[in-house]
Amino acid sequence: LASLLSGSHAVAQPSKSSEPQSREVAKMHFDHAITLRDQERWAEALAEFQESRKQFMTLHGTTNAAACLVNLERYVEALEMYESALRDFADKLKDDDKRDVSQVIKLLYNSVGTIEIVGSEPGATVQLDYLSRGELPLHAPLRVSRGAHTVRVVKEGYDPFEQRLDVAGGTTAQVTARLLRIQETGTLEIAEATGKALEVVVDDATVGKTPLRK
């Protein structure tokens, strides 16, 4: 378990592929990533593992990238990548590896929470920490790292809704985002038939003289 979190578990080379050039490029990035990982240069190692995965997807490229994300405290991305390892490489994971990855996932749940948004207008855009996360209704609650977050919901014709909240790990915070419709206004045009300048009174208040557009 500790080795998975530190990213120091056994190295495996990319498997054989029907595209030798992509396999060799993937291996080059993978080997460079291992060197960076062993130096605990997590961000640089992550970039190399990700590039290796673009060329040729492997189990150990995925789990190593996930371990880098853990060390960078990018827990939501790490959780999703470990989950993808279990899902996409189920036939290649040994029982011990499955157990270890599952334990890491359970640990990461303590660092990740979710936000569920209810009570808002369909089609409204959801922004999490000012980044768009889709339109309502969302297909699932939003996964977030534990801590403070800002939820903003916007839709044309409505006043924006915004709420800042703290989310604890392993919990779901519910946000009721009720949007208030902006009061509709119109334009009033008044003119005297012969073109005279006459005083215009609206709701017992003088608002100008004809011709008037207000």
Side-chain angles (χ1 to χ4, degrees):
L1 179 59
S3 66
L4 279 171
L5 282 173
S6 66
S8 60
H9 53 288
V11 174
Q13 303 298 335
S15 305
K16 291 183 179 180
S17 166
S18 59
E19 301 179 1
Q21 186 175 1
S22 294
R23 175 166 54 85
E24 288 303 313
V25 173
K27 181 180 182 300
M28 178 187 69
H29 286 287
F30 186 88
D31 290 344
H32 188 203
I34 292 297
T35 300
L36 294 168
R37 183 205 66 184
D38 291 344
Q39 297 171 358
E40 298 186 359
R41 294 162 64 180
W42 305 115
E44 296 168 85
L46 174 62
E48 289 296 321
F49 282 126
Q50 294 285 48
E51 186 59 34
S52 176
R53 294 175 73 245
K54 286 181 183 178
Q55 297 295 326
F56 188 75
M57 190 73 67
T58 65
L59 167 62
H60 288 276
T62 301
T63 55
N64 273 282
C68 290
L69 288 166
V70 171
N71 283 280
L72 292 168
E73 299 183 0
R74 292 163 58 177
Y75 299 125
V76 174
E77 296 167 84
L79 174 58
E80 292 174 349
M81 192 164 289
Y82 276 123
E83 288 176 336
S84 74
L86 280 182
R87 181 179 63 251
D88 300 335
F89 299 99
D91 58 333
K92 296 181 180 180
L93 279 168
K94 298 178 181 179
D95 289 341
D96 288 347
D97 291 334
K98 287 181 180 179
R99 183 195 65 238
D100 289 344
V101 172
S102 296
Q103 287 178 321
V104 175
I105 288 173
K106 288 181 180 179
L107 282 178
L108 287 171
Y109 281 148
N110 295 327
S111 298
V112 173
T114 57
I115 297 175
E116 182 180 15
I117 301 172
V118 299
S120 194
E121 297 293 324
T125 299
V126 176
Q127 297 174 351
L128 178 64
D129 299 326
Y130 303 103
L131 296 176
S132 178
R133 296 295 296 269
E135 294 185 352
L136 294 174
L138 299 175
H139 70 279
L142 297 172
R143 270 181 170 171
V144 296
S145 58
R146 65 186 176 192
H149 296 279
T150 300
V151 173
R152 184 176 171 86
V153 181
V154 297
K155 185 176 183 180
E156 185 176 354
Y158 294 83
D159 285 324
F161 169 90
E162 185 171 308
Q163 180 177 332
R164 186 172 175 82
L165 69 159
D166 291 310
V167 181
T171 67
T172 296
Q174 190 175 85
V175 174
T176 303
R178 300 200 182 281
L179 299 182
L180 298 177
R181 185 179 291 277
I182 297 173
Q183 184 177 0
E184 297 182 358
T185 60
T187 300
L188 178 66
E189 293 188 15
I190 302 174
E192 201 277 329
T194 61
K196 295 180 179 179
L198 301 178
E199 189 176 80
V200 177
V201 178
V202 177
D203 295 330
D204 299 323
T206 301
V207 295
K209 292 187 177 183
T210 57
L212 178 72
R213 189 174 188 274
K214 193 175 183 64

